[in-house]
Amino acid sequence: MFLLLISGLAGVLYGLASGNILAVAMPYFEATMGIGAARMGTLVASSSIVATVFGFAAGPLAEMFGRKRMLVLSALLFVLSAPVIVWCNGSYALLVTGFALQGVSMGLVGTVAPLYLAESLPAEHRGKGTGLFQLFLIGGIVLSGVVGLAVAYWFGAGDAADVSVAAKTSAWQALIWIAVVPAVLLFLGGLFAAESPDWKKGGAKESAAESSGYSVLSSLKMLADRRFVVPFVIVFIIVSCNKLCGLPFVLCYSVKIFQSCGLDGTYANWTDTVFKSVMFGGTALACVLVDRAGRKVLLGVGTLGACLSMLLIGCSFFAIEHGLLAKGGVTGLMVAVGVVAFIGFYSVGPGVCVWLVMTEVLPTKIRAIGMSVILLANHFISSCQQLSFLPIGERFGYAPVFFFCAVCALVYFFAVRFGMPETKGMQLGDIEKWYDEKLKRT
């Protein structure tokens, strides 16, 4: 139960803080500090870029110093970021520094928390614990919106002319302090948590404290070792397809998608709220099922459902773009059903199970460095998707984008079906033996 609590706190912190509090606080910064669009973009990018860099560094650091220490450090850095931001006294440099510290924290916790949980939880609770991390991550995203509404109600909106500068300053400071609460709790809980048993036993035991010979380069070379290359490639394909099947498009451009297919602004925003609620409910259901039905079952259902949903969305836009159907209520309903169905299938399967695939299938000796490399590629893929969606849609139409997502979901299905065992209830060492036996037979 204590480890599940740690999982929940890490998830809430990651979801609440990974750009979401900054997004809510942005209007208040613009109103009180005179930050223009270019400088605001730099502020957002500083946190995101630093998170990507330290997401890659998190694996080697966790190998050298241990999972527990890095989890505690990630919480501490986030706690320290708050006074830097709140007491910046109008200094843009300090503001950037504070959010960069949050980026370091997010980069570390996003890699280390799932790694620590997979190695520390008993096999029969591993799925539930990692699932809770994802569930509370989504809960943190929802919470950031709720906190933003509460602060706007209490202090006034950031763009309201009748709200004083002092009130707006208090509003963004309150948002920053509220975001620190889960970090403080995670820091205190981490102090009493035990170190990962896998790290203590070996594999990563060659930490800086015991051996100065640890090398990131040597760890990277191990990824090409014949014993490890197959599980690494399988996980790389699965995690890449987890993004390529369309989630960044749906999350970042949902209202734009709904408006482009014929839903007006009000219905588009309501549909956006509905699908995010479905995402939270589907993730909660997955937490219940993942240690009962198994990972492969949920991933199989989720990826096939995601494929069919993307086909429905793609066909709807194809019909609009080629004059087969007029843009309006019918096409809007088709796309809305497709998006909600996609989110439902994704949440029940890939949304939770992808974290398990990474931490369970990667062998102990390459688990940390492998996760770092894969998550770095994952951030790159997500960024490319976010940057390319609108330009591609404007030039070629949205139908090809969603058909491509459907193909990636199908590749995802086959990678799971033929590339990994059912890991439900298996010890991590037994999963490694499964791949060793496959290697011997070939």
Side-chain angles (χ1 to χ4, degrees), residues 73-96:
L73 177 62
S74 68
L76 177 61
L77 288 173
F78 195 90
V79 173
L80 293 177
S81 73
V84 175
I85 296 170
V86 172
W87 298 330
C88 68
N89 197 28
S91 169
Y92 180 73
L94 283 178
L95 201 62
V96 170

Side-chain angles (χ1 to χ4, degrees), residues 21-86:
I21 280 296
L22 177 54
V24 174
M26 200 175 293
Y28 295 105
F29 283 129
E30 292 173 339
T32 60
M33 300 182 68
I35 299 176
R39 299 183 90 192
M40 185 60 72
T42 302
L43 190 63
V44 174
S46 68
S47 179
S48 179
I49 292 171
V50 170
T52 301
V53 171
F54 277 85
F56 175 75
L61 290 171
E63 291 285 79
M64 289 188 283
F65 302 112
R67 283 66 161 135
K68 171 187 170 176
R69 290 190 185 99
M70 299 316 299
L71 197 61
V72 170
L73 177 62
S74 68
L76 177 61
L77 288 173
F78 195 90
V79 173
L80 293 177
S81 73
V84 175
I85 296 170
V86 172

